[in-house]
Amino acid sequence: MSLADDSLEETMAVTMTVNGERVSRAVPVRQNLIDFLRTGLGLTGSHIGCEHGICGACSLRLDGAVVRGCLTLAVQADGAEVVTIEGLTASGEAADLQAAFVERNALQCGYCTPGMLMTAAELLASDATPDRDGIREFMSGNFCRCTGYQAIVDAIETVLRKRRRLA
Amino acid sequence: MKPARFHYVRPASIAEAVLLLAEHGEDASILAGGQSLMPVLNMRLSRPRVVVDINRIAKLKGIALADGAVRIGALARHVEVMRSPLIARHLPLIAEAMPNVAHVAVRNRGTFGGSVALADPSAEMPACLLALGGAVVLESTRGRRQVAAEDYFHGLYDTARRPDELLIEALIPPQRPDTLSAFMELSRRHGDFAIAGLACTLRHDAGVIHAPRLVYFGSEPRPVLARTAMAALDGKAWSPATHDAVAAALADDLDPIDNTFGSPAAKLHLQRVVTRRVLDGLPDKARAA
C-alpha cells in the first residue's frame, strides 16, 4: 500500500460518543485521546500529567473501563464511547464520591482529582468490597502529591461502605 | 511530549496486517494495548514511520481451551485474563500473577500478546509463559510457526519474533491438578516494575518435590529458567536446608543487571528472599489444594 508524503500531518475522520454526545472530527493520527478531548472538544477536566502512563491524571472511561488518556490515540476511540470527568459529574454517578472527597479533604491542589474520581468510580461500580489495603492497591496507578493518600482512601472507603450498605 | 509524525494503518485481518509488516518491516511498530508503545512514542524514544494498529482484528481476541491447550489471543486484555474462569481453573499461576501487572487502567488496555511480544525484563507474563512451558504462534506472509517459550526470549526486549511477524496467540498446556504453582515479585510500589520475581510450578508427592520449574524475572535481561536451582529442589522434601540450597544455587543461574533499581548483588539477594518466601509458603498452599 502506498503512504502519503511523510512530511504531511496525517489526519483521519473519526466518530465517537463523548459524554453521551456523538462527535465527528478529523483528528491527527498521532494525537493522543486526552489531547483531542482537551483541545479538540474543550473538555479540560481531565488533566495531563506525565504523558507516559505513570501518574493517572488523564484517567477517563473508554467503552466502560478506566484507561490512560495519554496512552490511547484519538483515532483508536473511533466508534467508542468515552466518558470524562465532565460526563461522570453530569450523570450524578459520582456525586456521593465527590461530596466525600470534599468532606474528607481528599484534595488540595486538585490536579489529580479528576483521575482519582474516574478510577474510584470503577471500583465503586464493581462488585468488589476491598478493605483499605485493597482500596490502596486499586488506586495505586493514580499519583497524588498533596494529600498523602490517607484522606483519599478515607473518602473512597466511606462511599464504598455506604453503597454496600455496610455503614 | 507528543509522538512524532507517523502513518497510521488499521488492518481488519491477520492477512492484511502481515502484508503491511512484510512491506514496512522494521519501519513499522505494532500497536496492541499501547501501554508500552505509547510512552516511547510520546517521549519520541521511538519514531516508527508506520504504526500498525491491530486492535480491530477479531481473530486475535479471546481465551479458549482447545486441543489440550489454553489459547490466549494476542489481543486478550490483562483484565480479561484476570477475570477469566478458564484461566483461574486451568492456569492458576497466571491468575495469581495478574494482579501484579501494572495498575487497573493499564490492565484494562494492555494485552497478553503485547507483553509477550515486547519482552520487558520485569514483565510478569513472559515469566509465566516460560514457567508453564507455553509457546507463541507467529505469522508472516511466509507462513505460521510455533516457538516454544524456551526458544522465544533471547534477551533484553529481544525475542525470536522477526520484524515481519505478528504474534497471533500464546498456547499454554493446562496445569495438572497435582501441579502447584506460585508467583511473587518485589517492587517499590504495588504495580510498579518488578525488581525481583519468581514464577514457579512443581509437583509433590508425600512431601517430596518433583519436576520444579523456577523462572526468575525482573533482575535479568530476560526470564530465566533456573536449572541449577531446579536441580537442587527436584526430589527433595520441603525443609529450611532445601530452601537454603536452592537459594545458594541461584548464584549459578542468575546474572542480574546493574541499574538504578540496585546492584547485581542486591538483586541476587532479593531473588533469594523471594525464593525462600515462595518455598516457605508452598506447603500451606499444598495443604489447601
Side-chain angles (χ1 to χ4, degrees):
Chain A
M1 96 174 239
S2 63
L3 298 170
D5 184 344
D6 281 2
S7 66
L8 296 177
E9 182 76 61
E10 188 174 302
T11 61
M12 184 180 261
V14 297
T15 299
M16 65 185 87
T17 305
V18 180
N19 298 333
E21 275 183 51
R22 211 172 156 76
V23 295
S24 295
R25 292 280 194 290
V27 299
V29 297
R30 62 171 167 151
Q31 186 170 51
N32 287 324
L33 180 57
I34 190 66
D35 289 308
F36 170 65
L37 295 168
R38 286 176 54 86
T39 62
L41 301 182
L43 295 168
T44 52
S46 319
H47 294 159
I48 297 178
C50 70
E51 296 194 275
H52 64 288
I54 304 298
C55 78
C58 64
S59 301
L60 48 88
R61 196 179 278 174
L62 179 65
D63 285 334
V66 67
V67 303
R68 307 288 207 217
C70 70
L71 298 187
T72 300
L73 297 169
V75 287
Q76 292 189 281
D78 189 15
E81 193 165 323
V82 177
V83 177
T84 67
I85 188 63
E86 287 90 345
L88 194 78
T89 303
S91 72
E93 181 190 324
D96 52 352
L97 183 63
Q98 287 162 317
F101 264 59
V102 173
E103 193 182 324
R104 294 281 182 158
N105 265 335
L107 65 153
Q108 288 177 33
C109 85
Y111 203 83
C112 71
T113 312
M116 287 286 176
L117 294 170
M118 294 305 300
T119 302
E122 178 148 320
L123 174 61
L124 293 170
S126 74
D127 54 12
T129 308
D131 58 13
R132 289 181 69 87
D133 283 348
I135 293 170
R136 281 181 180 275
E137 197 171 306
F138 197 92
M139 300 302 296
S140 64
N142 288 70
F143 276 7
C144 172
R145 302 280 83 145
C146 302
T147 65
Y149 301 101
Q150 197 76 8
I152 292 172
V153 178
D154 289 345
I156 295 168
E157 187 186 28
T158 304
V159 177
L160 196 64
R161 293 182 69 84
K162 269 191 191 147
R163 289 219 198 160
R164 306 287 191 267
R165 301 184 191 288
L166 296 168
Chain B
M1 295 184 294
K2 311 291 174 193
R5 269 194 287 273
F6 53 72
H7 297 286
Y8 174 80
V9 280
R10 196 158 71 193
S13 67
I14 292 171
E16 207 182 314
V18 296
L19 265 177
L20 284 160
L21 295 178
E23 187 181 347
H24 301 291
E26 288 179 357
D27 292 335
S29 284
I30 300 169
L31 175 59
Q35 302 305 288
S36 299
L37 179 63
M38 290 304 302
V40 297
L41 294 185
N42 284 351
M43 292 188 275
R44 301 199 179 190
L45 294 171
S46 174
R47 304 171 79 130
R49 182 160 177 261
V50 185
V51 168
V52 180
D53 179 359
I54 60 170
N55 281 275
R56 310 265 165 146
I57 303 177
K59 281 197 171 159
L60 298 179
K61 295 179 182 176
I63 301 163
L65 180 66
D67 305 323
V70 179
R71 172 202 172 271
I72 304 180
L75 275 181
R77 312 239 178 233
H78 295 312
V79 64
E80 293 170 53
V81 176
M82 193 158 111
R83 292 180 185 161
S84 163
L86 205 90
I87 297 291
R89 181 162 171 218
H90 296 289
L91 298 172
L93 176 66
I94 288 181
E96 186 180 350
M98 201 44 96
N100 295 283
V101 176
H103 310 282
V104 58
V106 173
R107 288 197 299 268
N108 280 343
R109 193 89 189 131
T111 65
F112 192 91
S115 176
V116 171
L118 179 68
D120 186 290
S122 60
E124 293 81 1
M125 290 306 111
C128 289
L129 186 68
L130 182 55
L132 293 165
V136 299
V137 175
L138 303 168
E139 185 169 329
S140 70
T141 53
R142 295 171 286 116
R144 203 174 251 237
R145 66 184 178 121
Q146 192 170 318
V147 181
E150 288 183 28
D151 302 319
Y152 174 78
F153 298 105
H154 289 179
L156 196 66
Y157 302 107
D158 185 16
T159 69
R161 189 183 71 82
R162 298 178 188 127
D164 67 339
E165 285 179 316
L166 182 66
L167 197 154
I168 305 296
E169 62 205 14
L171 299 173
I172 308 175
Q175 289 179 228
R176 291 166 35 156
D178 62 345
T179 297
L180 269 180
S181 60
F183 183 93
M184 186 177 285
E185 70 176 41
L186 298 177
S187 59
R188 291 271 172 97
R189 178 182 62 136
H190 178 87
D192 276 1
F193 292 106
I195 301 165
L198 168 62
C200 81
T201 65
L202 51 82
R203 291 201 292 278
H204 68 106
D205 181 22
V208 178
I209 298 156
H210 297 290
R213 279 177 75 84
L214 306 178
V215 172
Y216 290 85
F217 67 100
S219 66
E220 312 299 302
R222 59 182 175 130
V224 170
L225 197 58
R227 294 183 192 278
T228 320
M230 282 154 53
L233 189 57
D234 202 7
K236 304 285 177 7
W238 272 302
S239 74
T242 303
H243 302 179
D244 286 345
V246 173
L250 278 182
D252 290 335
D253 292 315
L254 303 181
D255 187 11
I257 311 171
D258 192 1
N259 62 16
T260 53
F261 288 113
S263 66
K267 287 179 188 168
L268 181 60
H269 170 75
L270 291 177
Q271 293 289 27
R272 286 173 167 152
V273 169
V274 169
T275 302
R276 284 205 185 82
R277 285 185 189 169
V278 165
L279 292 178
D280 290 348
L282 272 172
D284 278 346
K285 214 168 172 178
R287 274 189 289 276

